Amino acid sequence: MSLRCLDENTSVMMEEVLQGVTNLELLNGTTRLLLTKIPFFKEIILSSFSCVSCGWTNTEIQSAGKIQEQGVCYTLKVKTKEDLNREVVKADSATTRIPELDFEIPAFTQKGSLSTIEGLLDRAVAGLEQDQSVRRATAPEVAEKIDEFIQKLGKLKEVEDEFTLVIEDPSGNSFVENPVAPQKDEALTVTRFKRTVQQDIQLGIRADDDLDEEPAGDDLETMRNEVLTFDTNCPECNAPASTNMKLVQVPHFKEVIIMATNCDSCGHRTNEVKSGGATEALGTKITLHITDPSDMARDLLKSETCSVIIPELEFELGMAALGGKFTTLEGLLKDIKDLIVSKNPFVCGDSSTTGRMQKLREFGEKIDEVIEGKMDAHIVLDDPAGNSYLQNIYAPEPDPEMTVEKYTRSFQQNEELGLNDMKTENYEEK
């Protein structure tokens, strides 16, 4: 953090930060650190500095977690002034764009911030105005053009015309608020993507001279017959742990990779499933009419690219949420309930409100009714990659309560899967 006032204390015990706000007494000012949690997001460290001598202030945020496995891109259609009040966590590795103005704030040119859409616009204007007095004296033509652009940015706050805000963060630690959560936000699109080698190098998780896209893999037959183990760290307590990985053939489907991590220190257990094959030529949409409690025992494979829809509850779970899972239909519904109700920061602490808590509890009760067979419902698994599966208990005969639809992916779906930039024609191995 760049400060105009000298800091005499340069080290802070993290134990004090975890207990609340820590004040660092400085020569001319005070730095406050707060570990807080953004609802439906994650924990962050909020830093605020103020100087009583010169009046200068500075705020900054840092992620309290690790770099995520995938990058994230938020695309928001700003249509009303209410959209300007959405909370935004912008990591320092994030790139901010407004395509309508051909405007971009590159990564690592600003410190991380916790703000709103309006705050991002004000910060951009302040950055452009910073050296305008010097430009007017040395380069008046450039200063005039920048003044015109500043006026265009200022007009965006009036929302006279719809505009698009794009925040792309390869670290996966940025966030844009969904004010109607847990319902789907029609104005906000969230996509996950695999980082490039160059992005890994920029984030410092790959050496500058390491230009290989992927390390060489083990023999496929060995992976089919053995459980592979590799060292990792627990996502909860960060203690050393081991992850087991195994290739498994799902009957009437395909091979999948199951990974399971157990932590001996804190007891945390997690598992994830990834497709063992290529992206299918067509997307798959599976619709099951739940007519009996026995349907809850159906095996289910949800890939990380699959979205889950329950029309009767007006509920949609986007791709990448909950990750890949190999479970039962009951297990998936319970995971959804835990995500929305039990593990939701909106139902506890300062973030909770009576109306929101009641709404979420009612949603959890409806999920229980579906599991117990007391509520007629459909569940839809929509996977544009075609790598999800729901057991047909009548196999090899058709299931009268389940339909499987193959469809051609849209351009946007191919873009989210990274297929539009993937060229395989006339490829020759060198």
Side-chain angles (χ1 to χ4, degrees), residues 4-253:
R4 296 183 183 177
C5 303
L6 299 178
D7 190 341
E8 291 183 344
N9 277 336
T10 57
S11 63
V12 182
M13 297 299 292
M14 281 306 297
E15 290 81 359
E16 297 178 357
V17 178
L18 295 176
Q19 294 174 359
V21 178
T22 300
N23 292 339
L24 304 182
E25 294 302 326
L26 310 177
L27 181 62
N28 293 315
T30 301
T31 295
R32 292 181 174 87
L33 300 178
L34 173 65
L35 180 66
T36 185
K37 185 166 186 178
I38 303 297
F40 290 104
F41 186 49
K42 63 182 67 175
E43 289 181 332
I44 63 170
I45 298 175
L46 183 61
S47 171
S48 175
F49 176 83
S50 61
C51 177
V52 295
S53 299
C54 66
W56 187 71
T57 61
N58 182 37
T59 60
E60 179 183 340
I61 69 106
Q62 292 182 350
S63 172
K66 61 182 181 180
I67 294 177
Q68 307 303 306
E69 293 185 2
Q70 292 181 312
V72 65
C73 180
Y74 291 89
T75 304
L76 174 66
K77 294 290 185 181
V78 181
K79 302 178 181 180
T80 65
K81 288 188 177 181
E82 286 73 17
D83 288 330
L84 297 178
N85 296 325
R86 292 175 184 245
E87 288 188 347
V88 177
V89 175
K90 178 184 173 297
D92 54 3
S93 57
T95 299
T96 304
R97 293 192 296 271
I98 302 177
E100 288 81 358
L101 297 183
D102 196 20
F103 176 69
E104 177 176 316
I105 303 175
F108 299 106
T109 57
Q110 291 182 344
K111 293 291 186 180
S113 62
L114 171 61
S115 182
T116 61
I117 303 296
E118 184 176 5
L120 287 182
L121 296 177
D122 289 338
R123 190 178 184 185
V125 170
L128 292 174
E129 290 179 337
Q130 186 173 2
D131 296 322
Q132 275 297 82
S133 58
V134 177
R135 293 192 192 99
R136 292 189 182 99
T138 59
E141 294 182 357
V142 175
E144 182 179 354
K145 292 181 179 180
I146 293 178
D147 283 334
E148 293 176 358
F149 192 83
I150 289 174
Q151 291 179 1
K152 292 180 181 179
L153 280 176
K155 289 182 179 180
L156 292 182
K157 294 195 295 183
E158 300 300 325
V159 199
E160 296 177 354
D161 298 312
E162 176 183 314
F163 69 92
T164 306
L165 178 71
V166 181
I167 297 180
E168 182 177 338
D169 183 8
S171 75
N173 288 325
S174 292
F175 169 76
V176 176
E177 180 189 8
N178 172 6
V180 296
Q183 305 299 327
K184 180 181 179 181
D185 189 345
E186 297 297 337
L188 180 64
T189 302
V190 184
T191 57
R192 307 279 175 175
F193 61 89
K194 183 179 180 181
R195 284 186 294 270
T196 64
V197 175
Q198 187 61 34
Q199 288 173 328
D200 282 343
I201 293 175
Q202 290 177 342
L203 293 173
I205 57 178
R206 187 187 289 251
D208 293 347
D209 56 353
D210 184 5
L211 300 179
D212 293 333
E213 283 287 346
E214 294 292 340
D218 292 334
D219 183 77
L220 188 57
E221 290 301 324
T222 302
M223 293 181 65
R224 285 193 179 99
N225 298 325
E226 295 183 6
V227 176
L228 303 181
T229 302
F230 56 91
D231 295 330
T232 184
N233 286 60
C234 174
E236 290 293 327
C237 68
N238 205 37
S242 297
T243 295
N244 297 325
M245 183 173 68
K246 180 74 168 64
L247 268 175
V248 176
Q249 177 68 46
V250 178
H252 304 288
F253 189 52

Side-chain angles (χ1 to χ4, degrees), residues 296-307:
M296 293 296 110
R298 291 177 185 247
D299 289 332
L300 180 146
L301 172 63
K302 175 197 171 298
S303 77
E304 63 272 16
T305 59
C306 178
S307 59

